[in-house]
Amino acid sequence: MGLIIMQNKKILFTALFLIFVLVIIPSLIVMTSRWDLYYTLSSVALLAIASAGVWLTFYIGRINIGQGAFALVGGYVTAILITKAGFSFWLALPFSGLFAAFISVLIGLPILRLRGVYFAMITLVLTEVGRLSALALPITNGAKGISNIPLPGELSFAGITIIPDFASFENPRMAFYYLASVLMILCFATLYRLSNSRLGHLCRSMQQNEELTSSIGVNIAAIRIIIFALSSFMGGIGGSIFAVMSQSIYPSSFQVADSINFMLNCFLGGLGYVFGPMLGTVVLYFGWDLLFQTGKYQMLIYSSLLIISMLVLPNGLLSIRLSGRKKS
Amino acid sequence: MKKPLLQVNHLTKKFGGLTANHDISFQVFEQEILSVIGPNGAGKSTLFKLISSFLRTTSGEIIFDGNKISNLAPHIVARMGIVRTFQETTIFKNMTVRESVVVAHHIRAKANLFGYFLGTSTARAEEKEFARSADEILDFLQLSSLANEVASNLPQGHLRALGIAIGLASNPKILLLDEPFAGMNHDETMQMVELVRKVRDRGVTILLVEHDMAAVMRISDRIIVLNFGEKIAEGTPAEIQENEQVIEAYLGKEEDLVGLYTC
Ligand SMILES: Nc1ncnc2c1ncn2[C@@H]1O[C@H](COP(=O)(O)OP(=O)(O)O)[C@@H](O)[C@H]1O
Ligand SMILES: [Mg+2]
């Protein structure tokens, strides 16, 4: 009985969430004519996707401060494929995610053996390596970056238009909002399913004890790679859409501060909860904006609030609502 | 003569200049309880880690069921049926007892992880079977009443039992127990001895490392004695108690010596 009620509750929450994101928010924007919010909320959705990837690496007990690098890779691959190779965005998008994942496998093979602060430091350096490579490589066009990336064209299958050309929309920003939020929903649905499947249980075992996990016959090296690749795939997807949305990508588009923010989003939302990174991203993003009025104290207040919230709520914001339930 | 299940041939392990295991050879037969004893630092844990492939050998080989298994990845050796439990009461701290044992059935999974992700019918049938088997194991080890307890809250004796439950979930042919009686009082030890016997009676061959002489003498079919990385004796408990070299190795360690004589 209890299970059925919980199931129904879940379906209800999901439905409400979908209606909120896909119907209510756009309606509010139309009513208030705050078109700029489309751009803001799309950014939040993209950042949430990248943060979801970071959450996955937390799930196998690794602190990942390298997501900026993979977002940058995704952004550049998309920019290069579209502007230099004439790819459609709809092909460049999955390709960017896959390329980021491919790079992460190459890098992950040696570094995923490291744990704790060593892994964190290496990934931090990785973000910086990403930025420096973008500055140095000929194909990325140095500090000038790649600008004038065209809007996504039409996506059609067998002559039937699935997604119209973004330029044909009166407001392409709305199209980006739907694209980003639908992908975010897919991303978190995947995360939810993963964490409730055997792979998720194995990740949790690894987070607690890798030796014991391999002693029960689990190929922990393979799982680490799978998870890291998935994480970087999400980073690459986020970066790819970001590049076409802002129609440009620069070496400074994703840097160390961004990598750290992705990580903080997970911390703040709660590492124990699948939807933690989404909530964390929303709260941190708007929290930072709200503090804009405080001028030069913005950073000080922001950091202090962050520290206090982590001290008071070590398991993240979601632990408030769920704390009563978890025990049973 | 019975065929050995596990053969250790001239096994040597060096850590830099230190030889932790030197030219060790022995055999383990099906369904016996074989104990490895020896003073602290004798190389017992190292031997276990070599057999379970958590360490690479320097030389020599380990043959299991006719196949050479030394230096394979630990998860592969576990899949072949050699499963170790840990000395340091290593467990999945934040999981419940039942969750730990269910997840430990991974070895038996036939559906792949993607199948589990999609929730295919094979995967769901397997999950059901694992849950059933986990309950059976918990019942067998008298842990049922603690099934929903978070592992880190368990008292020590039950933690060891949980370690064994996790080991059993992977359906081992040989279970390696590293100091299963450490830190236990007499009653707890005797309960554990019974439990290990029960596990053996299920058809599992037991290889154990232990300090507690009284318990070792009581439980073992055969005993191997290590000292400074070398095998100095092998035999039945009665033979080991008579062995001059063994008594010498333990001289100055009164508690152990007492154990050697009292049973
Ligand atoms: N990973 C390691 N690196 C270096 N030396 C080790 C390592 N593991 C064990 N040793 C050394 O090998 C010897 C045997 O250790 P061990 O097998 O743990 O003994 P026991 O379990 O019999 O007490 C000890 O001298 C120990 O210090
Ligand atoms: Mg030891």
Side-chain angles (χ1 to χ4, degrees), chain B residues 15 18 20 39-46:
Chain B
F15 294 112
L18 182 120
N40 242 329
K44 306 180 295 292
S45 294
T46 302

Side-chain angles (χ1 to χ4, degrees), chain B residues 15-16 18-21 38-47 49 55 87 178-179 209 211 226:
Chain B
F15 294 112
L18 182 120
T19 306
N21 279 179
N40 242 329
K44 306 180 295 292
S45 294
T46 302
L47 178 63
K49 287 175 193 161
L55 282 176
Q87 186 170 20
D178 200 346
E179 306 205 8
V209 157
H211 270 304
L226 296 189

Side-chain angles (χ1 to χ4, degrees), chain A residues 60-182:
Chain A
I60 54 167
R62 295 292 190 285
I63 301 170
N64 181 354
I65 325 182
Q67 189 70 317
F70 295 106
L72 203 62
V73 166
Y76 270 107
V77 169
T78 295
I80 291 166
L81 286 180
I82 294 179
T83 61
K84 305 213 162 126
F87 271 53
S88 147
F89 165 73
W90 303 108
L91 202 58
L93 173 68
F95 199 85
S96 303
L98 290 175
F99 192 79
F102 172 70
I103 299 268
S104 78
V105 170
L106 295 186
I107 296 173
L109 282 173
I111 71 168
L112 278 167
R113 290 182 205 179
L114 302 173
R115 301 182 202 187
V117 74
Y118 301 101
F119 184 82
M121 285 302 122
I122 290 258
T123 50
L124 183 79
V125 170
L126 208 59
T127 312
E128 195 55 11
V129 169
R131 190 180 70 88
L132 293 175
S133 313
L135 273 175
L137 292 174
I139 195 165
T140 52
N141 204 24
K144 289 200 292 286
I146 300 174
S147 47
N148 293 327
I149 303 170
L151 290 174
E154 179 185 290
L155 173 67
S156 59
F157 182 74
I160 303 162
T161 304
I162 298 168
I163 301 172
D165 192 334
F166 274 32
S168 72
F169 284 105
E170 195 183 328
N171 190 346
R173 284 179 177 178
M174 183 194 70
F176 275 115
Y177 172 76
Y178 277 108
L179 173 65
S181 48
V182 165

Side-chain angles (χ1 to χ4, degrees), chain B residues 91-229:
Chain B
I91 40 144
F92 301 128
K93 284 199 230 38
N94 301 324
M95 289 190 178
T96 67
V97 168
R98 195 161 181 276
E99 283 172 336
S100 308
V101 179
V102 170
V103 83
H105 280 75
H106 181 70
I107 282 182
R108 304 191 195 178
K110 294 204 180 58
N112 65 23
L113 288 172
F114 197 59
Y116 275 99
F117 179 83
L118 298 176
T120 60
S121 60
T122 323
R124 271 178 299 158
E126 277 183 3
E127 285 293 5
K128 236 186 222 155
E129 164 55 21
F130 295 166
R132 190 205 57 73
S133 160
D135 287 337
E136 188 265 317
I137 291 172
L138 291 180
D139 189 43
F140 176 71
L141 299 177
Q142 284 151 23
L143 285 169
S144 293
S145 57
L146 297 167
N148 294 319
E149 199 64 46
V150 173
S152 57
N153 295 339
L154 293 186
Q156 206 178 27
H158 287 124
L159 272 182
R160 294 272 161 72
L162 174 58
I164 293 178
I166 291 174
L168 283 184
S170 35
N171 220 355
K173 297 205 178 77
I174 300 187
L175 194 58
L176 309 182
L177 305 174
D178 200 346
E179 306 205 8
F181 313 120
M184 288 186 167
N185 66 28
H186 183 263
D187 288 349
E188 287 168 333
T189 304
M190 287 307 122
Q191 279 174 12
M192 198 64 173
V193 165
E194 278 317 304
L195 202 137
V196 171
R197 285 222 178 102
K198 265 171 66 183
V199 170
R200 186 265 303 274
D201 294 341
R202 266 171 90 105
V204 182
T205 305
I206 307 269
L207 194 55
L208 70 85
V209 157
E210 188 46 58
H211 270 304
D212 185 332
M213 283 302 153
V216 166
M217 294 300 161
R218 182 178 277 265
I219 197 173
S220 313
D221 297 318
R222 286 189 309 131
I223 297 175
I224 283 171
V225 189
L226 296 189
N227 196 23
F228 294 115

Side-chain angles (χ1 to χ4, degrees), chain A residues 193 198 208-209 216-218, chain B residues 79 90 92 94 107 116-117:
Chain A
R193 182 64 206 132
R198 177 145 282 266
Q208 289 167 42
N209 198 308
I216 57 172
V218 180
Chain B
R79 285 179 170 270
T90 302
F92 301 128
N94 301 324
I107 282 182
Y116 275 99
F117 179 83

Side-chain angles (χ1 to χ4, degrees), chain A residues 13-324:
Chain A
F13 271 123
T14 313
L16 284 179
F17 181 76
L18 292 181
I19 292 172
F20 181 71
V21 171
L22 300 176
V23 180
I24 297 184
I25 288 185
S27 317
L28 286 175
I29 290 178
V30 169
M31 280 193 278
T32 57
S33 301
R34 285 283 311 272
W35 308 111
D36 59 309
L37 278 180
Y38 272 140
Y39 186 84
T40 312
L41 291 172
S42 306
S43 304
V44 171
L46 297 180
L47 296 175
I49 292 174
S51 304
V54 174
W55 185 88
L56 267 180
T57 44
F58 270 114
Y59 207 35
I60 54 167
R62 295 292 190 285
I63 301 170
N64 181 354
I65 325 182
Q67 189 70 317
F70 295 106
L72 203 62
V73 166
Y76 270 107
V77 169
T78 295
I80 291 166
L81 286 180
I82 294 179
T83 61
K84 305 213 162 126
F87 271 53
S88 147
F89 165 73
W90 303 108
L91 202 58
L93 173 68
F95 199 85
S96 303
L98 290 175
F99 192 79
F102 172 70
I103 299 268
S104 78
V105 170
L106 295 186
I107 296 173
L109 282 173
I111 71 168
L112 278 167
R113 290 182 205 179
L114 302 173
R115 301 182 202 187
V117 74
Y118 301 101
F119 184 82
M121 285 302 122
I122 290 258
T123 50
L124 183 79
V125 170
L126 208 59
T127 312
E128 195 55 11
V129 169
R131 190 180 70 88
L132 293 175
S133 313
L135 273 175
L137 292 174
I139 195 165
T140 52
N141 204 24
K144 289 200 292 286
I146 300 174
S147 47
N148 293 327
I149 303 170
L151 290 174
E154 179 185 290
L155 173 67
S156 59
F157 182 74
I160 303 162
T161 304
I162 298 168
I163 301 172
D165 192 334
F166 274 32
S168 72
F169 284 105
E170 195 183 328
N171 190 346
R173 284 179 177 178
M174 183 194 70
F176 275 115
Y177 172 76
Y178 277 108
L179 173 65
S181 48
V182 165
L183 283 180
M184 179 186 79
I185 289 163
L186 282 179
C187 167
F188 279 89
T190 306
L191 220 57
Y192 179 80
R193 182 64 206 132
L194 185 151
S195 70
N196 284 294
S197 81
R198 177 145 282 266
L199 181 55
H201 302 316
L202 295 180
C203 291
R204 273 206 295 153
S205 313
M206 284 171 63
Q207 188 186 57
Q208 289 167 42
N209 198 308
E210 291 198 348
E211 273 205 318
L212 182 57
T213 309
S214 67
S215 85
I216 57 172
V218 180
N219 187 350
I220 56 173
I223 291 188
R224 287 194 295 232
I225 290 283
I226 293 172
I227 294 293
F228 195 47
L230 210 53
S231 156
S232 307
F233 179 83
M234 291 177 181
I237 292 288
S240 165
I241 304 175
F242 175 84
V244 286
M245 194 169 76
S246 50
Q247 298 196 282
S248 60
I249 183 96
Y250 305 100
S252 58
S253 295
F254 293 100
Q255 33 191 341
V256 170
D258 298 288
S259 284
I260 292 178
N261 277 330
F262 294 139
M263 178 188 69
L264 290 179
N265 294 340
C266 299
F267 266 129
L268 186 70
L271 297 178
Y273 309 100
V274 173
F275 298 100
M278 194 195 302
L279 182 71
T281 308
V282 171
V283 171
L284 270 194
Y285 192 93
F286 290 108
W288 173 249
D289 272 8
L290 280 179
L291 290 173
F292 188 68
Q293 282 86 344
T294 60
K296 62 180 172 184
Y297 299 111
Q298 185 183 17
M299 192 64 186
L300 182 67
I301 300 175
Y302 178 82
S303 323
S304 311
L305 286 178
L306 212 57
I307 292 172
I308 291 170
S309 71
M310 281 178 192
L311 285 177
V312 179
L313 293 169
N315 296 324
L317 292 174
L318 279 175
S319 61
I320 306 174
R321 194 177 65 80
L322 298 170
S323 58

